[in-house]
Amino acid sequence: MDFQIVEVFNRSVTIELVSDAAFRQGQPFDVYIDGEKTCSTNRNVVTVDGLLPDRKYKIGVAFGDEGGAFGTGESADGMVRGSDAVMVEREFVTKHESVLLNVRAFGAKGDGVTLDTAAIQAAICSCPKDGTVYLPKGTYYSTALFLKSDMTLWLDEEAVLLGDTDREHYPLLPGMTPTTDEKDEYNLSSWEGNPLTSFASLITAIDAENLDIIGPGVIDGNAQNSDWWVNAKVKRIAWRPNAIYLCRCKNVRVQNVSVQNSPCWTVHPYYCDDLAFLNLNIWNPSDSPNTDGLDPESSSNVLVLGTVISVGDDCMAIKSGKYYMALKHHKVTENVVIRNCLFERGHGSVTVGSEAAGGVKNVRVSQCIFDGTDRGLRIKTRRGRGERSVLDDILFEKIEMDGVHMPFTVNMFYFCDPDGHSDYVQNQAPAPVDEMTPVIGLIAGRDINCRGVSACVLCGVGLPESPIGELRFENIKVQFLPEDERVPERPVMMDNFDEMSGRSVFARNVKKLVLRNVEIAGAADTDPQLEAVGEQVLDGVKYV
């Protein structure tokens, strides 16, 4: 067993085990700093905090019997061996910090009642390059805070940033503003893929670079005590904010923070590059509307590790805007890595779309647990997303699904937006291929176990004029719930599509379907149902 150092911060470090296990190990292991034990855990991604800046440390991970004795020498491979255990060690140096600014020194009370926005914002505005704004233990009642480049926001243990419940206290971010020469436009906010005026989020960063947000504190949108979730689809003053909103930011890392009770999408990177989300804990009530966990939109080079998400909508939804943004401000969402995460509750574990008019490519989801979500892999698009909406090279592997009703769904008739039920979107006869026609390329899954399946294993429905390019699923093992425990459901949200229960594979309008080494136990049918499917490779498909 081995581990790698993923990211080093000024007062913490995140490591990841080199292992094929999904999210966690079968037994705990110990983590040491300079020979002193700091924690025992079974999670594959571990954050150690409580460190000091500008310091060299040695981090060790001990594998083997608890209490095993270690030797005093270190071998060339970085391992310290004992009679009953092995410790792997690595050295690192924490990031430089120029100054630590305690928000209480700026007048913040942290009593959960006093509005601390001005005091915290004063600390942020006063923070020099490589400085840290520090929230010690306490509850800091606040409206939107604006972060800037080259700083760290540190919420210490038992520190809570609590959102103001009065929407009129939040500033607005205009959706689009024409430039002075009227040759361009300046975009500051987004609502469901369109550049519409929204409230600023509790944590907002615009055009910031080299920004860290670290825990182990809590960012609490406090939406359950406000009216954010009441008539949620009705615009009141402006559209709902996020808990964390990053606009055109670069090199942003968010580590070991709990984010909860968000007014809308919880963490929303928008037109960003080079992002890392490490060991986050994102939680919203199951009935909270549109509270996706983490939605990278028109962003590239996104790393999500060790994160636990349990929300009222999709756990993660990878997006790239609607047609106007793809036409005028085109940016593909690409190079997204999601690994060693636990997605516990939500409509989809990892979704691509539906606002993906700019395209999504090169997504890798691996070593994750999907537990109790409606869908596992979820792809959704529709006519009108446009020819730049190419969803391609999306791979899920080494996934454990428990109680996921419908593990794999791909839908090109998704009935979103005001015209979602129109004849244009829902007509299943071939339409002309034009600049408004979306494309789906390769969607793949391999080495996946699915237990407690209810409705169907795989449901893929392409457009007749633009069939899904390829669905490839290899080394898949499925166990259905008993028939009396299954509830019929509609796996793809489109009109004129029946509910399913115990269905194995349904595919319509697909150029190529590959099913290799797929074992399905307890299905109501005994063969895939294929309609307008071109090349078919069914190798080792077994019903038991």
Side-chain angles (χ1 to χ4, degrees), residues 99-256:
V99 67
L100 180 71
L101 300 179
N102 189 323
V103 297
R104 290 184 181 268
F106 289 78
K109 302 299 182 184
D111 58 13
V113 178
T114 305
L115 191 61
D116 283 329
T117 311
I120 300 173
Q121 192 66 58
I124 294 168
C125 292
S126 303
C127 188
K129 179 179 170 61
D130 297 331
T132 296
V133 173
Y134 173 55
L135 278 66
K137 178 181 177 180
T139 299
Y140 300 87
Y141 193 61
S142 180
T143 66
L145 297 170
F146 288 78
L147 306 185
K148 62 181 186 178
S149 297
D150 302 307
M151 66 164 286
T152 295
L153 178 69
W154 175 21
L155 293 91
D156 205 352
E157 190 171 3
E158 296 187 59
V160 179
L161 182 65
L162 185 65
D164 189 332
T165 57
D166 190 339
R167 68 174 58 211
E168 294 191 7
H169 293 172
Y170 287 77
L172 308 184
L173 293 179
M176 279 292 186
T177 303
T179 56
T180 303
D181 61 9
E182 299 183 352
K183 294 181 180 179
D184 204 350
E185 51 191 7
Y186 181 57
N187 177 213
L188 278 175
S189 72
S190 172
W191 168 258
E192 295 190 341
N194 282 323
L196 303 175
T197 297
S198 304
F199 289 100
S201 299
L202 188 54
I203 293 293
T204 298
I206 298 170
D207 293 312
E209 299 185 16
N210 309 319
L211 169 64
D212 290 342
I213 303 170
I214 62 174
V218 177
I219 298 170
D220 189 334
N222 205 16
Q224 78 280 13
N225 293 315
S226 182
D227 63 353
W228 295 119
W229 297 339
V230 178
N231 296 323
K233 290 290 189 177
V234 176
K235 178 181 177 181
R236 284 177 285 168
I237 304 174
W239 294 107
R240 288 179 290 154
N242 314 120
I244 299 177
Y245 174 62
L246 309 172
C247 178
R248 292 189 304 275
C249 294
K250 294 182 180 179
N251 192 25
V252 178
R253 304 182 299 177
V254 187
Q255 179 210 48
N256 200 30

Side-chain angles (χ1 to χ4, degrees), residues 463-529:
L463 294 172
E465 71 272 16
S466 181
I468 297 166
E470 181 176 349
L471 298 177
R472 181 193 305 162
F473 292 91
E474 303 170 296
N475 304 325
I476 310 294
K477 191 169 184 178
V478 177
Q479 176 68 57
F480 271 92
L481 287 172
E483 185 176 359
D484 60 355
E485 296 181 24
R486 298 195 295 248
V487 177
E489 295 179 83
R490 183 163 50 175
V492 290
M493 296 174 66
M494 59 181 286
D495 292 344
N496 303 310
F497 197 88
D498 293 337
E499 293 179 335
M500 292 182 176
S501 178
R503 180 71 63 84
S504 60
V505 175
F506 177 89
R508 176 190 296 163
N509 300 325
V510 178
K511 292 180 181 178
K512 183 176 181 180
L513 174 67
V514 178
L515 300 177
R516 184 174 286 120
N517 298 328
V518 177
E519 180 180 298
I520 302 172
D525 55 16
T526 56
D527 286 296
Q529 181 177 342

Side-chain angles (χ1 to χ4, degrees), residues 383 412-414 419-432 461-465 494-496 508-509:
R383 294 184 183 110
M412 298 188 75
F413 286 91
Y414 185 59
D419 67 338
H421 296 282
S422 67
D423 182 69
Y424 171 70
V425 175
Q426 294 299 324
N427 194 316
Q428 295 185 38
V461 183
L463 294 172
E465 71 272 16
M494 59 181 286
D495 292 344
N496 303 310
R508 176 190 296 163
N509 300 325

Side-chain angles (χ1 to χ4, degrees), residues 253-289:
R253 304 182 299 177
V254 187
Q255 179 210 48
N256 200 30
V257 177
S258 293
V259 193
Q260 61 194 36
N261 299 316
S262 179
C264 195
W265 299 350
T266 308
V267 181
H268 184 199
Y270 183 65
Y271 284 83
C272 293
D273 299 297
D274 305 319
L275 308 172
F277 301 97
L278 313 173
N279 273 342
L280 302 191
N281 184 24
I282 297 173
W283 185 92
N284 298 307
S286 59
D287 59 351
S288 54

